[in-house]
Amino acid sequence: MTSSGTPDQPVPQADTAAALMEHLAEQLGSRASVSAVFGEPVTSDGITIIPVAEVGFGFAGGTRPEAGGANTGEGGGGAGARPRGYIEIKDGTATYKSLPAPWANVAIPLAALLTGTVIPLLVRHLAKRRAR
């Protein structure tokens, strides 16, 4: 970085890292939004649906000195979003409706199947034991 009247000086590593982190945050922040992932609110027949999601992002970066005293920076990051529910606006009333956890669609029927299979076997086994 240079200023008028001063010779060229290398940019301190902290300044380069901060600029890199700020750039990454801007890039990821603009892409990690509910509307970017799930779309804009939808209105039909007087009902408005607004998607709700948990959005997160992370990034890392660093600098290293290069020949000639210049610092170079590198970094990377990622973003993700998970649906959590939606807000339904109907007749001037807003209601939040959460979505069930995806595992519940598998775990609950599986538990019911196991319960329906194991309990009769257990009852028969105990009945045979008492008959002896």
Side-chain angles (χ1 to χ4, degrees):
M1 247 167 123
T2 63
S3 61
S4 61
T6 58
D8 288 342
Q9 297 176 357
V11 177
Q13 283 186 349
D15 291 344
T16 304
L20 178 62
M21 298 293 252
E22 185 176 321
H23 176 73
L24 286 171
E26 286 174 11
Q27 292 297 314
L28 290 172
S30 66
R31 294 185 181 141
S33 68
V34 175
S35 62
V37 176
F38 299 108
E40 295 295 325
V42 177
T43 302
S44 179
D45 296 329
I47 300 172
T48 301
I49 302 294
I50 304 169
V52 176
E54 178 181 342
V55 179
F57 65 95
F59 56 92
T63 63
R64 67 173 182 254
E66 291 289 322
N71 292 322
T72 61
E74 294 182 14
R82 292 187 295 195
R84 290 299 186 195
Y86 59 94
I87 298 171
E88 178 183 88
I89 302 173
K90 181 178 181 182
D91 299 327
T93 303
T95 307
Y96 174 74
K97 300 193 178 188
S98 64
L99 297 176
W103 61 266
N105 294 335
V106 174
I108 293 172
L110 185 60
L113 176 68
L114 288 174
T115 302
T117 305
V118 172
I119 288 181
L121 293 174
L122 185 59
V123 168
R124 277 190 230 135
H125 177 72
L126 291 174
K128 284 182 185 179
R129 240 178 147 182
R130 287 187 182 179
R132 290 185 196 171

